[in-house]
Amino acid sequence: MRKVYYIYNPRTQTYDRIYPTVRQRALSILRRLFIGMGLGASCFIILLLLFGSPSEKELRTENSRLLAQYNVLSKRLEQALGVLQDIQQRDDNLYRVIFMADPVPEAIRKAGYGGTNRYEQLMDMANADLVINTTQKLDLLNRQLYIQSRSFDEVISMCKKHDEMLKCIPAIQPVSNKDLRQTASGYGTRIDPIYGTTKFHSGMDFSAPLGTDVYATGDGVVVKAGWETGYGNTVEIDHGFGYFTRYAHLKDYQTRVGKKVVRGEIIGHVGSTGKSTGPHLHYEVHVKGQVVNPINYYFMDLSAEDYDKMIQMAANHGKVFD
Ligand SMILES: [Zn+2]
């Protein structure tokens, strides 16, 4: 239906009908259109500012979900580090102990990444603390896992060499000592047989008749067969794996430097050369450069009962033969 327009005429106090031109009509339509669009746009912007766009809302939800997941991830990384720590402790205190290897040094286990700040590019992120903290944990886990896996490689190779190692570790007494009467004096502070003063005795003395056979106590290579001040005629064997033994005051040698010996092989005979007060064998065990009590290295030829007896006899504070 066609629209009809009137205008009030104050002079005649009547409404006169008017006939707008096409141009006027078009302008009027355009004006209304623009006003409508303006109003619509303003409402849209106000709503957008107040509530955000649907995609923004979606992003915000996703963001908070990601943040929660990041937090969970961070906690789980912490748990993984805890598990790794447990593995490290078992490695140091159990696996490596079995093979008599030193624990992995703390400095290597805890070594970080040196140099520039690796996390610089993360600094300007939203939630930078959380992101950096989590990344650091992941890096730590990575690094420590790598070190742990290297340590296990070492343990595996020790496992493979274990049979050989068992053959090399000093594990018998250096003279036949079935009735144990030949244990004269043990390791530790004792009275010096010549000066009569207390002195540290670095080995164990076995009194035995002159010429009694002296045995290599583990497989190894003879590194000395010669005279040494105080020790007299001495044989020294390097067993590898950090083990070393010394046999002193010998009457003679039955081996030579460079010879490979096996456990139980005769290397010389009991004598009284050097600083000695009677025929005896002075026997020393060194582990990784440290002299140790040989009593802990007879486990292959003593029963538990004999072992106890021997400890008691070796602990006597009588004079040593040196
Ligand atoms: Zn001695």
Side-chain angles (χ1 to χ4, degrees):
M1 199 180 79
R2 203 186 156 135
K3 255 185 170 179
V4 182
Y5 298 90
Y6 294 94
I7 190 162
Y8 182 64
N9 188 342
R11 197 167 41 84
T12 56
Q13 292 185 350
T14 51
Y15 287 91
D16 298 337
R17 184 164 179 187
I18 52 165
Y19 301 91
T21 61
V22 173
R23 194 164 166 267
Q24 278 173 326
R25 275 178 195 220
L27 275 175
S28 156
I29 289 168
L30 274 174
R31 195 170 55 236
R32 276 182 237 165
L33 196 72
F34 279 124
I35 290 171
M37 273 164 70
L39 270 175
S42 311
C43 284
F44 180 73
I45 288 166
I46 288 167
L47 281 171
L48 209 65
L49 287 177
L50 279 180
F51 305 108
S53 74
S55 64
E56 251 178 24
K57 209 173 155 190
E58 219 169 83
L59 279 175
R60 223 172 288 148
T61 317
E62 198 186 316
N63 206 17
S64 71
R65 222 179 276 150
L66 279 175
L67 198 65
Q69 273 172 2
Y70 231 110
N71 270 312
V72 171
L73 194 69
S74 179
K75 283 207 183 80
R76 290 182 70 168
L77 274 173
E78 235 160 75
Q79 286 169 354
L81 278 166
V83 173
L84 180 61
Q85 204 175 4
D86 185 54
I87 293 171
Q88 287 171 340
Q89 269 167 12
R90 255 186 286 165
D91 182 31
D92 282 343
N93 303 321
L94 187 68
Y95 308 140
R96 301 181 77 84
V97 168
I98 291 172
F99 301 109
M100 280 166 262
D102 291 330
V104 177
E106 195 76 352
I108 290 180
R109 280 224 194 269
K110 297 274 180 281
Y113 296 97
T116 50
N117 186 358
R118 294 163 51 82
Y119 310 108
E120 215 175 330
Q121 80 278 15
L122 303 174
M123 294 286 199
D124 47 4
M125 278 181 81
N127 303 304
D129 281 352
L130 179 66
V131 175
I132 290 174
N133 194 283
T134 310
T135 314
Q136 272 173 336
K137 279 181 201 159
L138 191 64
D139 283 347
L140 191 70
L141 188 69
N142 246 338
R143 168 106 194 127
Q144 294 197 1
L145 268 178
Y146 172 72
I147 290 163
Q148 187 53 51
S149 107
R150 291 284 301 267
S151 168
F152 278 151
D153 286 347
E154 222 177 291
V155 170
I156 287 168
S157 96
M158 285 189 279
C159 243
K160 286 179 184 156
K161 282 195 255 165
H162 193 231
D163 286 348
E164 194 195 330
M165 185 172 142
L166 279 182
K167 280 189 212 148
C168 292
I169 295 174
I172 61 166
Q173 295 169 88
V175 289
S176 177
N177 196 3
K178 292 274 183 280
D179 57 4
L180 298 171
R181 259 177 240 133
Q182 284 162 328
T183 308
S185 186
Y187 172 93
T189 309
R190 300 283 184 273
I191 294 161
D192 187 277
I194 291 168
Y195 307 114
T197 51
T198 52
K199 187 191 161 200
F200 180 75
H201 188 229
S202 57
M204 205 154 165
D205 289 346
F206 296 83
S207 79
L210 217 65
T212 304
D213 291 338
V214 174
Y215 308 112
T217 54
D219 293 10
V221 178
V222 175
V223 288
K224 186 187 177 92
W227 183 270
E228 191 146 331
T229 316
Y231 286 117
N233 291 330
T234 305
V235 169
E236 288 171 3
I237 298 174
D238 184 354
H239 301 276
F241 304 98
Y243 292 90
F244 169 95
T245 51
R246 177 179 285 142
Y247 313 77
H249 312 299
L250 299 173
K251 180 171 160 270
D252 53 28
Y253 316 111
Q254 201 172 309
T255 191
R256 58 185 160 72
V257 172
K259 189 171 186 275
K260 276 191 177 176
V261 290
V262 293
R263 180 181 289 141
E265 186 174 322
I266 298 170
I267 51 168
H269 299 99
V270 170
S272 189
T273 54
K275 188 175 158 236
S276 167
T277 52
H280 80 287
L281 174 76
H282 172 90
Y283 174 61
E284 285 178 15
V285 176
H286 296 240
V287 181
K288 289 175 187 147
Q290 296 279 314
V291 62
V292 296
N293 192 345
I295 200 136
N296 300 318
Y297 293 90
Y298 303 138
F299 43 84
M300 270 184 73
D301 61 354
L302 287 181
S303 69
E305 219 171 72
D306 288 347
Y307 184 76
D308 278 351
K309 239 158 102 188
M310 181 160 198
I311 286 179
Q312 279 171 20
M313 291 176 80
N316 78 66
H317 285 258
K319 283 190 174 181
V320 290
F321 288 76
D322 219 14

